[in-house]
């Protein structure tokens, strides 16, 4: 699999090693981007961590994408933002200063709205069973195929994707995959 088909999504709470060490390793890989997802952090703490991660990424030329916090991205000069769908809907018309804007979708029709509002690509999921969505049934490859029927922008599968099942997501037509736990070990 080509590295540019892979988006790493972080969750430092899954790390078995120091998180910044994991970031250094991710920054060495040829990935499309690293999404700093750390959903449990308040913005001030998130921005501090994002600053450290940005320094790591700048050393290797790796791409960093800020998750959710638009003002943090602007404060740090990061030109890539990934937003939860509800935030994206509210803020879509204010994001013209970003080079890359993406969002997460959970219904096939949401890709239509996301592309109309200017999203560059979307994450669609969760495709497979995952601990991140414990107890919530996966949407499956059928869902992904329905999203792809309406998509004019790249779609990346997310949720429970690992080395033993990623090819199914690509075979369904996704532009690539998002992986979290595979990288955090």
């Amino acid at each position: 699999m080509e590295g540019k088909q892979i988006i790493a999504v972080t969750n430092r709470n899954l790390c078995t090693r120091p998180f910044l060490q994991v970031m250094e390793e991710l920054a060495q890989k040829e990935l499309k981007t690293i999404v700093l997802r750390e959903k449990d952090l308040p913005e001030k703490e998130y921005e501090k961590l994002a600053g450290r991660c940005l320094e790591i990424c700048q050393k290797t030329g790796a791409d960093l994408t800020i998750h959710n916090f638009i003002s943090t991205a602007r404060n740090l000069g990061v030109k890539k933002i990934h937003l939860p769908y509800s935030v994206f809907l509210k803020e879509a018309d204010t994001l013209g200063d970003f080079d890359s804007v993406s969002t997460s979708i959970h219904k096939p029709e949401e890709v239509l709205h996301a592309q109309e509002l200017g999203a560059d690509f979307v994450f669609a999921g969760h495709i497979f069973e995952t601990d991140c969505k414990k107890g919530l049934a996966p949407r499956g490859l059928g869902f992904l195929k329905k999203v792809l029927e309406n998509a004019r922008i790249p779609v990346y599968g997310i949720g429970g994707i690992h080395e033993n099942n990623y090819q199914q997501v690509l075979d369904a037509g996704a532009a690539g995959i998002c992986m979290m736990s595979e990288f955090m070990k």
Side-chain angles (χ1 to χ4, degrees), residues 154-179:
V155 175
Y156 287 77
I158 191 169
I161 299 172
H162 51 74
E163 65 184 37
N164 295 326
N165 65 12
Y166 77 86
Q167 192 61 51
Q168 295 174 56
V169 177
L170 297 178
D171 290 346
I177 60 167
C178 302
M179 296 175 86

mmCIF file with all atom_site columns, all heavy atoms in Angstrom, residues 154-179:
data_model
loop_
_atom_site.group_PDB
_atom_site.id
_atom_site.type_symbol
_atom_site.label_atom_id
_atom_site.label_alt_id
_atom_site.label_comp_id
_atom_site.label_asym_id
_atom_site.label_entity_id
_atom_site.label_seq_id
_atom_site.pdbx_PDB_ins_code
_atom_site.Cartn_x
_atom_site.Cartn_y
_atom_site.Cartn_z
_atom_site.occupancy
_atom_site.B_iso_or_equiv
_atom_site.pdbx_formal_charge
_atom_site.auth_seq_id
_atom_site.auth_comp_id
_atom_site.auth_asym_id
_atom_site.auth_atom_id
_atom_site.pdbx_PDB_model_num
ATOM 1   N N   . PRO A 1 154 ? -12.340 12.721 -2.686 1.00 0.00 ? 154 PRO A N   1
ATOM 2   C CA  . PRO A 1 154 ? -11.795 11.491 -2.112 1.00 0.00 ? 154 PRO A CA  1
ATOM 3   C C   . PRO A 1 154 ? -12.466 11.113 -0.790 1.00 0.00 ? 154 PRO A C   1
ATOM 4   O O   . PRO A 1 154 ? -12.796 11.979 0.032  1.00 0.00 ? 154 PRO A O   1
ATOM 5   C CB  . PRO A 1 154 ? -10.311 11.810 -1.908 1.00 0.00 ? 154 PRO A CB  1
ATOM 6   C CG  . PRO A 1 154 ? -10.031 12.916 -2.881 1.00 0.00 ? 154 PRO A CG  1
ATOM 7   C CD  . PRO A 1 154 ? -11.298 13.727 -2.932 1.00 0.00 ? 154 PRO A CD  1
ATOM 8   N N   . VAL A 1 155 ? -12.654 9.827  -0.609 1.00 0.00 ? 155 VAL A N   1
ATOM 9   C CA  . VAL A 1 155 ? -13.237 9.275  0.608  1.00 0.00 ? 155 VAL A CA  1
ATOM 10  C C   . VAL A 1 155 ? -12.220 8.325  1.223  1.00 0.00 ? 155 VAL A C   1
ATOM 11  O O   . VAL A 1 155 ? -11.704 7.433  0.543  1.00 0.00 ? 155 VAL A O   1
ATOM 12  C CB  . VAL A 1 155 ? -14.550 8.516  0.304  1.00 0.00 ? 155 VAL A CB  1
ATOM 13  C CG1 . VAL A 1 155 ? -15.093 7.846  1.565  1.00 0.00 ? 155 VAL A CG1 1
ATOM 14  C CG2 . VAL A 1 155 ? -15.586 9.453  -0.308 1.00 0.00 ? 155 VAL A CG2 1
ATOM 15  N N   . TYR A 1 156 ? -11.939 8.522  2.514  1.00 0.00 ? 156 TYR A N   1
ATOM 16  C CA  . TYR A 1 156 ? -11.025 7.672  3.266  1.00 0.00 ? 156 TYR A CA  1
ATOM 17  C C   . TYR A 1 156 ? -11.839 6.893  4.293  1.00 0.00 ? 156 TYR A C   1
ATOM 18  O O   . TYR A 1 156 ? -12.586 7.487  5.075  1.00 0.00 ? 156 TYR A O   1
ATOM 19  C CB  . TYR A 1 156 ? -9.956  8.515  3.980  1.00 0.00 ? 156 TYR A CB  1
ATOM 20  C CG  . TYR A 1 156 ? -8.940  9.070  3.031  1.00 0.00 ? 156 TYR A CG  1
ATOM 21  C CD1 . TYR A 1 156 ? -9.243  10.170 2.221  1.00 0.00 ? 156 TYR A CD1 1
ATOM 22  C CD2 . TYR A 1 156 ? -7.694  8.493  2.897  1.00 0.00 ? 156 TYR A CD2 1
ATOM 23  C CE1 . TYR A 1 156 ? -8.323  10.665 1.302  1.00 0.00 ? 156 TYR A CE1 1
ATOM 24  C CE2 . TYR A 1 156 ? -6.763  8.975  1.997  1.00 0.00 ? 156 TYR A CE2 1
ATOM 25  C CZ  . TYR A 1 156 ? -7.093  10.059 1.206  1.00 0.00 ? 156 TYR A CZ  1
ATOM 26  O OH  . TYR A 1 156 ? -6.183  10.533 0.299  1.00 0.00 ? 156 TYR A OH  1
ATOM 27  N N   . GLY A 1 157 ? -11.712 5.576  4.283  1.00 0.00 ? 157 GLY A N   1
ATOM 28  C CA  . GLY A 1 157 ? -12.389 4.757  5.264  1.00 0.00 ? 157 GLY A CA  1
ATOM 29  C C   . GLY A 1 157 ? -11.723 4.886  6.621  1.00 0.00 ? 157 GLY A C   1
ATOM 30  O O   . GLY A 1 157 ? -10.502 5.014  6.716  1.00 0.00 ? 157 GLY A O   1
ATOM 31  N N   . ILE A 1 158 ? -12.533 4.846  7.670  1.00 0.00 ? 158 ILE A N   1
ATOM 32  C CA  . ILE A 1 158 ? -12.018 4.941  9.032  1.00 0.00 ? 158 ILE A CA  1
ATOM 33  C C   . ILE A 1 158 ? -12.784 3.975  9.929  1.00 0.00 ? 158 ILE A C   1
ATOM 34  O O   . ILE A 1 158 ? -13.951 3.689  9.681  1.00 0.00 ? 158 ILE A O   1
ATOM 35  C CB  . ILE A 1 158 ? -12.103 6.387  9.587  1.00 0.00 ? 158 ILE A CB  1
ATOM 36  C CG1 . ILE A 1 158 ? -11.318 6.523  10.902 1.00 0.00 ? 158 ILE A CG1 1
ATOM 37  C CG2 . ILE A 1 158 ? -13.551 6.859  9.724  1.00 0.00 ? 158 ILE A CG2 1
ATOM 38  C CD1 . ILE A 1 158 ? -11.129 7.953  11.363 1.00 0.00 ? 158 ILE A CD1 1
ATOM 39  N N   . GLY A 1 159 ? -12.112 3.481  10.931 1.00 0.00 ? 159 GLY A N   1
ATOM 40  C CA  . GLY A 1 159 ? -12.759 2.655  11.942 1.00 0.00 ? 159 GLY A CA  1
ATOM 41  C C   . GLY A 1 159 ? -12.418 1.185  11.844 1.00 0.00 ? 159 GLY A C   1
ATOM 42  O O   . GLY A 1 159 ? -12.878 0.499  10.939 1.00 0.00 ? 159 GLY A O   1
ATOM 43  N N   . GLY A 1 160 ? -11.572 0.716  12.747 1.00 0.00 ? 160 GLY A N   1
ATOM 44  C CA  . GLY A 1 160 ? -11.239 -0.698 12.813 1.00 0.00 ? 160 GLY A CA  1
ATOM 45  C C   . GLY A 1 160 ? -10.389 -1.183 11.661 1.00 0.00 ? 160 GLY A C   1
ATOM 46  O O   . GLY A 1 160 ? -10.336 -2.387 11.397 1.00 0.00 ? 160 GLY A O   1
ATOM 47  N N   . ILE A 1 161 ? -9.718  -0.298 10.983 1.00 0.00 ? 161 ILE A N   1
ATOM 48  C CA  . ILE A 1 161 ? -8.926  -0.676 9.811  1.00 0.00 ? 161 ILE A CA  1
ATOM 49  C C   . ILE A 1 161 ? -7.499  -1.002 10.251 1.00 0.00 ? 161 ILE A C   1
ATOM 50  O O   . ILE A 1 161 ? -6.876  -0.238 10.994 1.00 0.00 ? 161 ILE A O   1
ATOM 51  C CB  . ILE A 1 161 ? -8.948  0.440  8.747  1.00 0.00 ? 161 ILE A CB  1
ATOM 52  C CG1 . ILE A 1 161 ? -10.397 0.670  8.297  1.00 0.00 ? 161 ILE A CG1 1
ATOM 53  C CG2 . ILE A 1 161 ? -8.051  0.079  7.563  1.00 0.00 ? 161 ILE A CG2 1
ATOM 54  C CD1 . ILE A 1 161 ? -10.592 1.867  7.407  1.00 0.00 ? 161 ILE A CD1 1
ATOM 55  N N   . HIS A 1 162 ? -7.014  -2.147 9.778  1.00 0.00 ? 162 HIS A N   1
ATOM 56  C CA  . HIS A 1 162 ? -5.664  -2.578 10.113 1.00 0.00 ? 162 HIS A CA  1
ATOM 57  C C   . HIS A 1 162 ? -5.095  -3.352 8.933  1.00 0.00 ? 162 HIS A C   1
ATOM 58  O O   . HIS A 1 162 ? -5.729  -3.482 7.882  1.00 0.00 ? 162 HIS A O   1
ATOM 59  C CB  . HIS A 1 162 ? -5.653  -3.397 11.402 1.00 0.00 ? 162 HIS A CB  1
ATOM 60  C CG  . HIS A 1 162 ? -6.647  -4.518 11.416 1.00 0.00 ? 162 HIS A CG  1
ATOM 61  N ND1 . HIS A 1 162 ? -6.475  -5.678 10.701 1.00 0.00 ? 162 HIS A ND1 1
ATOM 62  C CD2 . HIS A 1 162 ? -7.841  -4.630 12.044 1.00 0.00 ? 162 HIS A CD2 1
ATOM 63  C CE1 . HIS A 1 162 ? -7.500  -6.466 10.891 1.00 0.00 ? 162 HIS A CE1 1
ATOM 64  N NE2 . HIS A 1 162 ? -8.356  -5.863 11.700 1.00 0.00 ? 162 HIS A NE2 1
ATOM 65  N N   . GLU A 1 163 ? -3.899  -3.880 9.126  1.00 0.00 ? 163 GLU A N   1
ATOM 66  C CA  . GLU A 1 163 ? -3.197  -4.521 8.008  1.00 0.00 ? 163 GLU A CA  1
ATOM 67  C C   . GLU A 1 163 ? -3.921  -5.722 7.426  1.00 0.00 ? 163 GLU A C   1
ATOM 68  O O   . GLU A 1 163 ? -3.704  -6.082 6.280  1.00 0.00 ? 163 GLU A O   1
ATOM 69  C CB  . GLU A 1 163 ? -1.769  -4.890 8.411  1.00 0.00 ? 163 GLU A CB  1
ATOM 70  C CG  . GLU A 1 163 ? -1.693  -5.940 9.492  1.00 0.00 ? 163 GLU A CG  1
ATOM 71  C CD  . GLU A 1 163 ? -0.267  -6.220 9.933  1.00 0.00 ? 163 GLU A CD  1
ATOM 72  O OE1 . GLU A 1 163 ? 0.547   -5.279 9.988  1.00 0.00 ? 163 GLU A OE1 1
ATOM 73  O OE2 . GLU A 1 163 ? 0.022   -7.390 10.227 1.00 0.00 ? 163 GLU A OE2 1
ATOM 74  N N   . ASN A 1 164 ? -4.815  -6.355 8.185  1.00 0.00 ? 164 ASN A N   1
ATOM 75  C CA  . ASN A 1 164 ? -5.515  -7.533 7.683  1.00 0.00 ? 164 ASN A CA  1
ATOM 76  C C   . ASN A 1 164 ? -6.811  -7.226 6.937  1.00 0.00 ? 164 ASN A C   1
ATOM 77  O O   . ASN A 1 164 ? -7.393  -8.126 6.338  1.00 0.00 ? 164 ASN A O   1
ATOM 78  C CB  . ASN A 1 164 ? -5.812  -8.505 8.829  1.00 0.00 ? 164 ASN A CB  1
ATOM 79  C CG  . ASN A 1 164 ? -4.546  -9.064 9.431  1.00 0.00 ? 164 ASN A CG  1
ATOM 80  O OD1 . ASN A 1 164 ? -3.553  -9.272 8.741  1.00 0.00 ? 164 ASN A OD1 1
ATOM 81  N ND2 . ASN A 1 164 ? -4.557  -9.282 10.734 1.00 0.00 ? 164 ASN A ND2 1
ATOM 82  N N   . ASN A 1 165 ? -7.292  -5.971 6.992  1.00 0.00 ? 165 ASN A N   1
ATOM 83  C CA  . ASN A 1 165 ? -8.557  -5.671 6.313  1.00 0.00 ? 165 ASN A CA  1
ATOM 84  C C   . ASN A 1 165 ? -8.535  -4.410 5.447  1.00 0.00 ? 165 ASN A C   1
ATOM 85  O O   . ASN A 1 165 ? -9.529  -4.089 4.806  1.00 0.00 ? 165 ASN A O   1
ATOM 86  C CB  . ASN A 1 165 ? -9.714  -5.614 7.312  1.00 0.00 ? 165 ASN A CB  1
ATOM 87  C CG  . ASN A 1 165 ? -9.589  -4.469 8.299  1.00 0.00 ? 165 ASN A CG  1
ATOM 88  O OD1 . ASN A 1 165 ? -8.771  -3.572 8.145  1.00 0.00 ? 165 ASN A OD1 1
ATOM 89  N ND2 . ASN A 1 165 ? -10.412 -4.504 9.336  1.00 0.00 ? 165 ASN A ND2 1
ATOM 90  N N   . TYR A 1 166 ? -7.437  -3.681 5.449  1.00 0.00 ? 166 TYR A N   1
ATOM 91  C CA  . TYR A 1 166 ? -7.403  -2.416 4.710  1.00 0.00 ? 166 TYR A CA  1
ATOM 92  C C   . TYR A 1 166 ? -7.669  -2.602 3.223  1.00 0.00 ? 166 TYR A C   1
ATOM 93  O O   . TYR A 1 166 ? -8.273  -1.746 2.576  1.00 0.00 ? 166 TYR A O   1
ATOM 94  C CB  . TYR A 1 166 ? -6.080  -1.669 4.931  1.00 0.00 ? 166 TYR A CB  1
ATOM 95  C CG  . TYR A 1 166 ? -4.914  -2.212 4.152  1.00 0.00 ? 166 TYR A CG  1
ATOM 96  C CD1 . TYR A 1 166 ? -4.684  -1.787 2.841  1.00 0.00 ? 166 TYR A CD1 1
ATOM 97  C CD2 . TYR A 1 166 ? -4.036  -3.135 4.704  1.00 0.00 ? 166 TYR A CD2 1
ATOM 98  C CE1 . TYR A 1 166 ? -3.608  -2.291 2.115  1.00 0.00 ? 166 TYR A CE1 1
ATOM 99  C CE2 . TYR A 1 166 ? -2.975  -3.641 3.993  1.00 0.00 ? 166 TYR A CE2 1
ATOM 100 C CZ  . TYR A 1 166 ? -2.760  -3.213 2.698  1.00 0.00 ? 166 TYR A CZ  1
ATOM 101 O OH  . TYR A 1 166 ? -1.706  -3.705 1.966  1.00 0.00 ? 166 TYR A OH  1
ATOM 102 N N   . GLN A 1 167 ? -7.225  -3.733 2.659  1.00 0.00 ? 167 GLN A N   1
ATOM 103 C CA  . GLN A 1 167 ? -7.392  -3.945 1.217  1.00 0.00 ? 167 GLN A CA  1
ATOM 104 C C   . GLN A 1 167 ? -8.875  -3.990 0.832  1.00 0.00 ? 167 GLN A C   1
ATOM 105 O O   . GLN A 1 167 ? -9.244  -3.539 -0.250 1.00 0.00 ? 167 GLN A O   1
ATOM 106 C CB  . GLN A 1 167 ? -6.679  -5.223 0.766  1.00 0.00 ? 167 GLN A CB  1
ATOM 107 C CG  . GLN A 1 167 ? -6.569  -5.345 -0.740 1.00 0.00 ? 167 GLN A CG  1
ATOM 108 C CD  . GLN A 1 167 ? -5.773  -4.201 -1.384 1.00 0.00 ? 167 GLN A CD  1
ATOM 109 O OE1 . GLN A 1 167 ? -4.659  -3.891 -0.967 1.00 0.00 ? 167 GLN A OE1 1
ATOM 110 N NE2 . GLN A 1 167 ? -6.364  -3.564 -2.386 1.00 0.00 ? 167 GLN A NE2 1
ATOM 111 N N   . GLN A 1 168 ? -9.718  -4.476 1.723  1.00 0.00 ? 168 GLN A N   1
ATOM 112 C CA  . GLN A 1 168 ? -11.158 -4.494 1.453  1.00 0.00 ? 168 GLN A CA  1
ATOM 113 C C   . GLN A 1 168 ? -11.698 -3.079 1.266  1.00 0.00 ? 168 GLN A C   1
ATOM 114 O O   . GLN A 1 168 ? -12.564 -2.834 0.419  1.00 0.00 ? 168 GLN A O   1
ATOM 115 C CB  . GLN A 1 168 ? -11.910 -5.168 2.604  1.00 0.00 ? 168 GLN A CB  1
ATOM 116 C CG  . GLN A 1 168 ? -11.601 -6.640 2.787  1.00 0.00 ? 168 GLN A CG  1
ATOM 117 C CD  . GLN A 1 168 ? -12.281 -7.164 4.032  1.00 0.00 ? 168 GLN A CD  1
ATOM 118 O OE1 . GLN A 1 168 ? -13.492 -7.057 4.166  1.00 0.00 ? 168 GLN A OE1 1
ATOM 119 N NE2 . GLN A 1 168 ? -11.491 -7.739 4.936  1.00 0.00 ? 168 GLN A NE2 1
ATOM 120 N N   . VAL A 1 169 ? -11.187 -2.146 2.049  1.00 0.00 ? 169 VAL A N   1
ATOM 121 C CA  . VAL A 1 169 ? -11.616 -0.746 1.965  1.00 0.00 ? 169 VAL A CA  1
ATOM 122 C C   . VAL A 1 169 ? -11.153 -0.147 0.641  1.00 0.00 ? 169 VAL A C   1
ATOM 123 O O   . VAL A 1 169 ? -11.917 0.532  -0.045 1.00 0.00 ? 169 VAL A O   1
ATOM 124 C CB  . VAL A 1 169 ? -11.076 0.056  3.173  1.00 0.00 ? 169 VAL A CB  1
ATOM 125 C CG1 . VAL A 1 169 ? -11.436 1.533  3.068  1.00 0.00 ? 169 VAL A CG1 1
ATOM 126 C CG2 . VAL A 1 169 ? -11.607 -0.539 4.480  1.00 0.00 ? 169 VAL A CG2 1
ATOM 127 N N   . LEU A 1 170 ? -9.921  -0.429 0.268  1.00 0.00 ? 170 LEU A N   1
ATOM 128 C CA  . LEU A 1 170 ? -9.403  0.076  -1.011 1.00 0.00 ? 170 LEU A CA  1
ATOM 129 C C   . LEU A 1 170 ? -10.134 -0.572 -2.186 1.00 0.00 ? 170 LEU A C   1
ATOM 130 O O   . LEU A 1 170 ? -10.472 0.104  -3.162 1.00 0.00 ? 170 LEU A O   1
ATOM 131 C CB  . LEU A 1 170 ? -7.900  -0.164 -1.109 1.00 0.00 ? 170 LEU A CB  1
ATOM 132 C CG  . LEU A 1 170 ? -7.038  0.561  -0.072 1.00 0.00 ? 170 LEU A CG  1
ATOM 133 C CD1 . LEU A 1 170 ? -5.574  0.186  -0.251 1.00 0.00 ? 170 LEU A CD1 1
ATOM 134 C CD2 . LEU A 1 170 ? -7.225  2.064  -0.138 1.00 0.00 ? 170 LEU A CD2 1
ATOM 135 N N   . ASP A 1 171 ? -10.405 -1.870 -2.086 1.00 0.00 ? 171 ASP A N   1
ATOM 136 C CA  . ASP A 1 171 ? -11.121 -2.570 -3.145 1.00 0.00 ? 171 ASP A CA  1
ATOM 137 C C   . ASP A 1 171 ? -12.541 -2.039 -3.324 1.00 0.00 ? 171 ASP A C   1
ATOM 138 O O   . ASP A 1 171 ? -13.097 -2.105 -4.416 1.00 0.00 ? 171 ASP A O   1
ATOM 139 C CB  . ASP A 1 171 ? -11.168 -4.080 -2.880 1.00 0.00 ? 171 ASP A CB  1
ATOM 140 C CG  . ASP A 1 171 ? -9.805  -4.751 -3.027 1.00 0.00 ? 171 ASP A CG  1
ATOM 141 O OD1 . ASP A 1 171 ? -8.872  -4.124 -3.579 1.00 0.00 ? 171 ASP A OD1 1
ATOM 142 O OD2 . ASP A 1 171 ? -9.675  -5.910 -2.571 1.00 0.00 ? 171 ASP A OD2 1
ATOM 143 N N   . ALA A 1 172 ? -13.118 -1.507 -2.253 1.00 0.00 ? 172 ALA A N   1
ATOM 144 C CA  . ALA A 1 172 ? -14.462 -0.919 -2.331 1.00 0.00 ? 172 ALA A CA  1
ATOM 145 C C   . ALA A 1 172 ? -14.442 0.414  -3.081 1.00 0.00 ? 172 ALA A C   1
ATOM 146 O O   . ALA A 1 172 ? -15.482 0.916  -3.467 1.00 0.00 ? 172 ALA A O   1
ATOM 147 C CB  . ALA A 1 172 ? -15.047 -0.734 -0.937 1.00 0.00 ? 172 ALA A CB  1
ATOM 148 N N   . GLY A 1 173 ? -13.247 0.983  -3.256 1.00 0.00 ? 173 GLY A N   1
ATOM 149 C CA  . GLY A 1 173 ? -13.116 2.222  -4.017 1.00 0.00 ? 173 GLY A CA  1
ATOM 150 C C   . GLY A 1 173 ? -12.644 3.427  -3.230 1.00 0.00 ? 173 GLY A C   1
ATOM 151 O O   . GLY A 1 173 ? -12.533 4.529  -3.785 1.00 0.00 ? 173 GLY A O   1
ATOM 152 N N   . ALA A 1 174 ? -12.356 3.247  -1.942 1.00 0.00 ? 174 ALA A N   1
ATOM 153 C CA  . ALA A 1 174 ? -11.880 4.378  -1.142 1.00 0.00 ? 174 ALA A CA  1
ATOM 154 C C   . ALA A 1 174 ? -10.532 4.876  -1.649 1.00 0.00 ? 174 ALA A C   1
ATOM 155 O O   . ALA A 1 174 ? -9.716  4.096  -2.157 1.00 0.00 ? 174 ALA A O   1
ATOM 156 C CB  . ALA A 1 174 ? -11.763 3.975  0.325  1.00 0.00 ? 174 ALA A CB  1
ATOM 157 N N   . ALA A 1 175 ? -10.302 6.173  -1.500 1.00 0.00 ? 175 ALA A N   1
ATOM 158 C CA  . ALA A 1 175 ? -9.031  6.775  -1.891 1.00 0.00 ? 175 ALA A CA  1
ATOM 159 C C   . ALA A 1 175 ? -7.912  6.328  -0.973 1.00 0.00 ? 175 ALA A C   1
ATOM 160 O O   . ALA A 1 175 ? -6.737  6.345  -1.339 1.00 0.00 ? 175 ALA A O   1
ATOM 161 C CB  . ALA A 1 175 ? -9.135  8.295  -1.878 1.00 0.00 ? 175 ALA A CB  1
ATOM 162 N N   . GLY A 1 176 ? -8.280  5.933  0.237  1.00 0.00 ? 176 GLY A N   1
ATOM 163 C CA  . GLY A 1 176 ? -7.288  5.519  1.213  1.00 0.00 ? 176 GLY A CA  1
ATOM 164 C C   . GLY A 1 176 ? -7.959  5.153  2.515  1.00 0.00 ? 176 GLY A C   1
ATOM 165 O O   . GLY A 1 176 ? -9.182  5.000  2.591  1.00 0.00 ? 176 GLY A O   1
ATOM 166 N N   . ILE A 1 177 ? -7.136  5.029  3.535  1.00 0.00 ? 177 ILE A N   1
ATOM 167 C CA  . ILE A 1 177 ? -7.609  4.593  4.846  1.00 0.00 ? 177 ILE A CA  1
ATOM 168 C C   . ILE A 1 177 ? -7.057  5.480  5.949  1.00 0.00 ? 177 ILE A C   1
ATOM 169 O O   . ILE A 1 177 ? -6.021  6.108  5.802  1.00 0.00 ? 177 ILE A O   1
ATOM 170 C CB  . ILE A 1 177 ? -7.205  3.128  5.126  1.00 0.00 ? 177 ILE A CB  1
ATOM 171 C CG1 . ILE A 1 177 ? -5.671  2.989  5.083  1.00 0.00 ? 177 ILE A CG1 1
ATOM 172 C CG2 . ILE A 1 177 ? -7.887  2.180  4.156  1.00 0.00 ? 177 ILE A CG2 1
ATOM 173 C CD1 . ILE A 1 177 ? -5.142  1.692  5.633  1.00 0.00 ? 177 ILE A CD1 1
ATOM 174 N N   . CYS A 1 178 ? -7.773  5.464  7.050  1.00 0.00 ? 178 CYS A N   1
ATOM 175 C CA  . CYS A 1 178 ? -7.309  6.110  8.273  1.00 0.00 ? 178 CYS A CA  1
ATOM 176 C C   . CYS A 1 178 ? -7.027  5.004  9.285  1.00 0.00 ? 178 CYS A C   1
ATOM 177 O O   . CYS A 1 178 ? -7.821  4.074  9.428  1.00 0.00 ? 178 CYS A O   1
ATOM 178 C CB  . CYS A 1 178 ? -8.389  7.020  8.850  1.00 0.00 ? 178 CYS A CB  1
ATOM 179 S SG  . CYS A 1 178 ? -8.936  8.304  7.720  1.00 0.00 ? 178 CYS A SG  1
ATOM 180 N N   . MET A 1 179 ? -5.896  5.114  9.940  1.00 0.00 ? 179 MET A N   1
ATOM 181 C CA  . MET A 1 179 ? -5.522  4.122  10.942 1.00 0.00 ? 179 MET A CA  1
ATOM 182 C C   . MET A 1 179 ? -5.134  4.829  12.223 1.00 0.00 ? 179 MET A C   1
ATOM 183 O O   . MET A 1 179 ? -4.483  5.866  12.193 1.00 0.00 ? 179 MET A O   1
ATOM 184 C CB  . MET A 1 179 ? -4.357  3.267  10.450 1.00 0.00 ? 179 MET A CB  1
ATOM 185 C CG  . MET A 1 179 ? -4.694  2.423  9.227  1.00 0.00 ? 179 MET A CG  1
ATOM 186 S SD  . MET A 1 179 ? -3.266  1.534  8.577  1.00 0.00 ? 179 MET A SD  1
ATOM 187 C CE  . MET A 1 179 ? -3.311  0.077  9.581  1.00 0.00 ? 179 MET A CE  1
#
